[in-house]
Amino acid sequence: NDGIVITESASKKLTSEHIHKKELSINENTVLNLRYFGVQYPNTLKYDNTKKLDEDGIIKKGQVVHKGDILIAALQKHATQTPVSVKAIHRQLADRPKNVSVEWIYDEEGVVVDVHKSASNVTVFIKTEEQAKIGDKLTGRFGNKGVITGIIPDKEAPRTKSGDNIDIFLNPHGIISRINIV
């Protein structure tokens, strides 16, 4: 009853801003060093991604991030000693620190708006602008609300007598049941 269908144009018009917070906890075994990270994991960082990071391997404020970009290039040293049997097999693998990097996993690109570094934490704030998508909630002026259940191409939308597209389609049963009259 409270499903809403919108057009692709309406999806673009209903763009919203989001702030994403990405964090990494730091302890005495955490290594934040871009060069050392590159030596241990040479094929992990792309050249474009490397230019966006400072010498500690932390994304710089103002950088645009894309899916797959590393925000915090971090390594975790082993807290316990590696068994002698593993060292005997392959010393290089036994001593290699674990990659605990924080990566941007979203499809939307974002802009780094702030970076906080402390002795125990690194926090990166990223702003995105996202179009309305299926599953988002829309609300009306009188408390009526619904969830977007479909996005249709503009050419499939009905038109008014003057030829304008109708962008948002509400179920009349859902509107009446959701309005706060008081």
Side-chain angles (χ1 to χ4, degrees), residues 1-41:
N1 280 345
D2 58 355
I4 299 173
V5 176
I6 64 174
T7 63
E8 290 174 344
S9 303
S11 173
K12 292 175 185 167
K13 292 176 190 173
L14 294 170
T15 298
S16 59
E17 288 186 354
H18 300 260
I19 297 290
H20 298 268
K21 179 180 176 183
K22 298 296 178 185
E23 294 183 288
L24 178 70
S25 296
I26 299 171
N27 60 34
E28 63 277 351
N29 294 323
T30 306
V31 178
L32 293 173
N33 184 305
L34 184 58
R35 283 190 189 174
Y36 185 65
F37 184 89
V39 168
Q40 294 297 320
Y41 291 89

Side-chain angles (χ1 to χ4, degrees), residues 62-171:
Q63 296 297 318
V64 176
V65 294
H66 303 279
K67 186 172 186 172
D69 281 355
I70 290 182
L71 306 174
I72 306 168
L75 299 173
Q76 188 77 31
K77 291 182 181 176
H78 300 288
T80 58
Q81 290 292 329
T82 307
V84 177
S85 59
V86 173
K87 283 185 179 180
I89 296 170
H90 200 294
R91 179 168 176 75
Q92 199 173 25
L93 290 177
D95 294 333
R96 187 178 194 189
K98 181 179 178 184
N99 181 354
V100 292
S101 298
V102 177
E103 184 178 330
W104 183 249
I105 59 171
Y106 303 101
D107 292 328
E108 297 85 10
E109 70 177 31
V111 178
V112 179
V113 292
D114 208 357
V115 177
H116 294 286
K117 300 178 192 178
S118 69
S120 62
N121 204 10
V122 176
T123 308
V124 178
F125 295 93
I126 298 169
K127 179 179 84 168
T128 60
E129 291 185 7
E130 302 175 19
Q131 294 180 5
K133 58 187 175 297
I134 294 175
D136 287 350
K137 186 176 275 192
L138 294 179
T139 59
R141 178 179 289 180
F142 302 105
N144 52 321
K145 57 187 175 280
V147 176
I148 297 173
T149 57
I151 300 175
I152 61 171
D154 291 346
K155 63 183 178 185
E156 292 180 15
R159 298 185 185 281
T160 62
K161 288 181 182 179
S162 62
D164 295 331
N165 272 356
I166 299 174
D167 286 331
I168 299 177
F169 307 95
L170 305 170
N171 182 337

